[in-house]
Amino acid sequence: MRGEKNKEKLFNRYMNRQVALTLLRIVLIFTVSLTSTIIVLSEEETTVMQGAVGSGPSFIMPIGIQVEADGNFVVFDLGLEAIIRVDHNTGNRTIISNATIGSGPAFVAPMGIALESDENIVVLDVGLEAILRVNPINGNRTIISNATIGSGVNFIVPWALTVESDGNIVVTDSVLSAILRVNPTSGNRTIISNATIGTGPDLIVPIDIAIEPDENIVVFDLYGIVRIDPISGNRSMVSDATTGSGPCFCAAESLVVESDGHIIVADLGLESIIRVNPSNGNRAFLSNAKIGSGPSFGTPEAQSIEADGNIVVVDPCLEAVIRVNKNNGNREIVSTAQTIKDTGLEIPRGISVDKDNNIFIVDSSLEAVIRVNPENGYRYVISDPSKGSGIEFIAPFGIAVESDGHIIVTDPALEAVIRVDPKDGARVVLSNSQTGSGPNLGSPMGIAIGLNGDIILCDLGINAIIRVNATTGNRVVISNATIGSGPSFGSPFGITIESNGDIIATDTGFEQIMRIDPVSGNRSIVSSAFVGTGPPFVAPWAITVESTSNLAVVDPGLEAVLRVKFIGGNRIIISDATTGNGTDFVAPAGIAIETNGSILVIDPGLKQIIRVNPVTGNRAVITLTNPPIITPQGLEIIT
C-alpha cells in the first residue's frame, strides 16, 4: 500500500515537472517548404509519415538512459516499468528486466538509472523508496538500500542517482532537499549536503545529478546548476538566471558532464539541449529546432555521452532515442517504434480570443502567430519567419490580444515579450534585457492583459509574477518569494485576470490555483488538494475566467477541462474522456472563452483546437486536418 501511495505521489509530481511532457505527444519530423501559389492536395497526399527505427517493444515513457561499455544503451521506461537494451547500430529494443524478466522485487516507480564499474545497473525506485542493482545479463534485481537495508536517514522522494569513481552512489532527494551518499555494499546512507551540512545556497528541489572530472558533484536544482564539494558538502552556483549569460533554463530535466567538463542540460520547456561552461556558467544552445538538422525534440528528458562524445537523448514525447552530434547539434533517431503522422499544425501552445471573437494561436515549432477562423477552421498566418519584419521567434509560448488588436507573445527562449502588428506581422521587442528597465526576464510563459493595459506574466525562470509596462517595457515584480505574503509559488505557469484586477495563476509545482493581489503581491490559494472539493489537479496548466466568474482550467495530467469556483475552490470536470462526447483530449494546453461562452482548448497532442460546450462538455474539432493557411500572397499548405 505504501508503494502504491508513493507511486501515485510520484506520478503527480512527475507530471508537474514534465511541463511539456503530456503536451507534445506527437511532434512533426518533416516540414514541406511553403509556396506562394494556391495548392490543392488531398489529405492522403499531404500526409507525411515518419517510419519506425529498430524492432522490439515500443517505448511508452522513456526517462533515463546510459551508454554501456560496448556502446549499446540501457533505457529505463517508466510506462513499461522496465529496462530496455537498445542496439546502438540497429535501434533494436530488448527488455532485460521487468516484472516477468529477472527475479527480485518488481519495479514500482523507477526514476533514476546509472552504471557501476562492473556494468551492473543501479536503479532508483521512488515507489519502493529504494536503490536496486540489476544484473545486465539475466535482469535479476536486488535491493541495495532502503528503509530496512542500510542505516542512516531514510529516502522520502529520491529522484536521481550517479556513481562515484570509488563505487559509492550519490542520490538526490527532492523532499529532503539533500544529497545522500550510499555505500554500495552495506546500503548505509549519509547526507553529504543539505541546509545544515555544507555552506552556500540551499538546495530546493534537487532533480538530477552528475560527477565532474575532478570528482565534484553537480546537481540541477529546480532553476539552476549547483556544484557540491563531495567532502565538505559546500555548495556554489554554477549557472542560473543570475549566474552566466545565455538562455535561461525553463524546465530543465537532466544534466550530464562531457569529458572536457562542460555540462549538457536537457530542457524540455525550451525543447533544447544546452551546453554550459563549467567555469563561468555561460549557456549556449547546442541543439534545437533552429540549431542542427533532423527531427525536432518533443520533450528531451535525459541524456548520456557516447564514447565518441556524441549525446544520446531519450524523448518521451517522440517515444524515441535520439543521437545529437556534439559539434553541430544535428539530430537523428536511433530507435523508435512510432510512426508519426503530420496533421498541419506542429506544436500549438497558446490561444487567445479578441473582442470580435477572432482566435489567435502561437505555434512554437512553426515560430508563428496564426489567426483561426472560428467558423471554418481556416488559419491565416499573421507573423512567422517569412512574414513580418523584426526579431524572429524561437519558441513562442504565451499569447494575448491588446484592446487595439496588437498581439503580445512571450518567448522563453528569447527571454522576451514581443508585440506583433496584426496587419503586417512585424515583430517588435516590447521587453527584454535590452528593452525596458527592471529585473531581467528568465522564462516568461503565461501572459494576460491587465485592466490598465499593462502586461502581466508568469516567469518560470525567476519564479515570479511580473508586470510589464505596455509602453516602455519596464518590468516590475508583483509577487515572488520576497514580495507579498502568503504561500510561495512552486512553478507559476498560466495566468488570467479577474474583473476586479486580481491576478489568478496556475501553479504546476504545487498543483494549485493562486490569487495574487496586483498591488501588494500577497498570495492566497483559490483551489488545491486541500482547498475545495472535487478531483485534485495533476498539472494545472492554462486558465481563464468564465463569464459566470467561475474559472476554467486545462489539466493535461487529467486530460480534462475543469471548472473552479471562485468561492471555496470546488472543482468539477467540464469535459474529459467520460464527460461529454466528441474527440478525446490528448494533451490540452491552452484555453480561452468565446464571446458566447463556449470554451476553446488547444491540444498539441491532437494538433487541433477543440470547442467545448460549457454545459454538456461535448467536444468538436474546429480546425481541419490539412486546411489551407492563407496569406496575402495566396494559400500555403503546411504539411
Side-chain angles (χ1 to χ4, degrees), residues 388-637:
S389 60
I391 188 170
E392 290 189 6
F393 298 121
I394 295 179
F397 194 93
I399 186 170
V401 182
E402 295 182 290
S403 59
D404 65 0
H406 280 82
I407 301 158
I408 303 296
V409 175
T410 59
D411 191 313
L414 292 173
E415 302 168 16
V417 177
I418 298 168
R419 178 176 279 128
V420 179
D421 189 304
K423 296 178 181 178
D424 61 13
R427 299 169 298 276
V428 177
V429 173
L430 171 61
S431 190
N432 67 0
S433 60
Q434 305 299 316
T435 306
S437 61
N440 288 342
L441 299 172
S443 295
M445 306 301 281
I447 188 170
I449 307 298
L451 297 187
N452 66 352
D454 283 347
I455 291 100
I456 312 297
L457 61 86
C458 293
D459 194 307
L460 271 180
I462 57 177
N463 217 31
I465 305 296
I466 307 291
R467 177 182 288 112
V468 178
N469 185 285
T471 302
T472 65
N474 292 345
R475 300 169 299 278
V476 177
V477 174
I478 297 174
S479 187
N480 64 5
T482 60
I483 298 175
S485 61
S488 297
F489 295 123
S491 299
F493 205 81
I495 196 166
T496 191
I497 308 296
E498 291 186 87
S499 59
N500 66 356
D502 282 352
I503 302 163
I504 303 291
T506 63
D507 189 316
T508 60
F510 292 148
E511 306 160 21
Q512 62 191 12
I513 306 299
M514 301 185 74
R515 178 177 285 112
I516 300 99
D517 186 289
V519 178
S520 66
N522 292 345
R523 301 169 298 278
S524 60
I525 295 174
V526 176
S527 186
S528 71
F530 309 102
V531 178
T533 62
F537 298 119
V538 174
W541 187 277
I543 190 168
T544 191
V545 176
E546 287 193 287
S547 59
T548 57
S549 294
N550 291 321
L551 297 165
V553 180
V554 288
D555 190 313
L558 295 174
E559 299 177 5
V561 177
L562 297 90
R563 179 174 288 124
V564 180
K565 291 289 185 181
F566 273 119
I567 307 300
N570 292 347
R571 301 168 298 280
I572 61 169
I573 289 179
I574 300 174
S575 186
D576 67 359
T578 61
T579 308
N581 301 317
T583 302
D584 288 348
F585 298 122
V586 174
I591 191 167
I593 302 293
E594 294 187 283
T595 52
N596 67 358
S598 291
I599 301 169
L600 296 176
V601 174
I602 197 161
D603 191 312
L606 297 171
K607 300 181 185 177
Q608 302 286 8
I609 299 173
I610 309 293
R611 180 176 282 123
V612 179
N613 185 300
V615 178
T616 65
N618 291 346
R619 301 170 297 280
V621 174
I622 69 168
T623 42
L624 304 176
T625 300
N626 280 294
I629 294 188
I630 301 175
T631 72
Q633 291 77 35
L635 299 184
E636 297 179 319
I637 300 289

Side-chain angles (χ1 to χ4, degrees), residues 66-310:
Q66 291 291 322
V67 179
E68 295 182 293
D70 61 3
N72 289 328
F73 316 133
V74 284
V75 173
F76 213 104
D77 192 299
L78 181 62
L80 294 174
E81 297 179 355
I83 297 176
I84 299 171
R85 179 172 285 118
V86 179
D87 186 288
H88 68 290
N89 291 315
T90 65
N92 291 344
R93 300 168 299 280
T94 305
I95 292 177
I96 61 175
S97 188
N98 66 4
T100 60
I101 298 175
S103 61
F107 301 120
V108 174
M111 292 301 297
I113 186 171
L115 296 179
E116 295 183 291
S117 59
D118 60 2
E119 289 298 302
N120 279 325
I121 304 164
V122 285
V123 173
L124 192 152
D125 193 303
V126 183
L128 296 174
E129 298 176 2
I131 298 174
L132 296 87
R133 178 175 287 118
V134 181
N135 185 298
I137 298 173
N138 57 28
N140 291 346
R141 299 169 299 278
T142 306
I143 291 179
I144 299 173
S145 185
N146 66 2
T148 60
I149 299 175
S151 61
V153 62
N154 288 339
F155 300 125
I156 299 181
V157 181
W159 206 262
L161 80 171
T162 191
V163 179
E164 295 179 293
S165 60
D166 62 3
N168 284 319
I169 302 166
V170 284
V171 178
T172 66
D173 191 300
S174 60
V175 171
L176 291 175
S177 299
I179 308 301
L180 296 86
R181 180 175 284 123
V182 180
N183 184 295
T185 304
S186 66
N188 292 345
R189 300 168 298 278
T190 305
I191 291 179
I192 302 173
S193 187
N194 65 2
T196 60
I197 299 174
T199 61
D202 287 348
L203 298 171
I204 304 172
V205 182
I207 297 172
D208 200 19
I209 190 167
I211 305 295
E212 295 186 289
D214 61 3
E215 294 297 315
N216 280 325
I217 300 166
V218 284
V219 172
F220 199 92
D221 182 33
L222 197 58
Y223 298 114
I225 300 172
V226 178
R227 179 176 287 119
I228 300 173
D229 185 289
I231 299 173
S232 67
N234 292 343
R235 300 169 299 277
S236 60
M237 185 61 67
V238 176
S239 186
D240 66 0
T242 60
T243 308
S245 61
C248 282
F249 301 119
C250 176
E253 188 62 27
S254 68
L255 79 173
V256 68
V257 179
E258 295 181 290
S259 59
D260 64 0
H262 280 83
I263 302 167
I264 302 294
V265 174
D267 193 305
L268 56 86
L270 298 177
E271 301 159 17
S272 300
I273 302 297
I274 299 170
R275 180 175 275 130
V276 181
N277 186 304
S279 301
N280 56 25
N282 290 347
R283 302 168 296 278
F285 288 121
L286 170 61
S287 187
N288 59 21
K290 280 186 169 292
I291 299 174
S293 61
S296 298
F297 295 120
T299 51
E301 169 70 22
Q303 70 272 57
S304 189
I305 306 291
E306 294 186 283
D308 60 4
N310 287 328

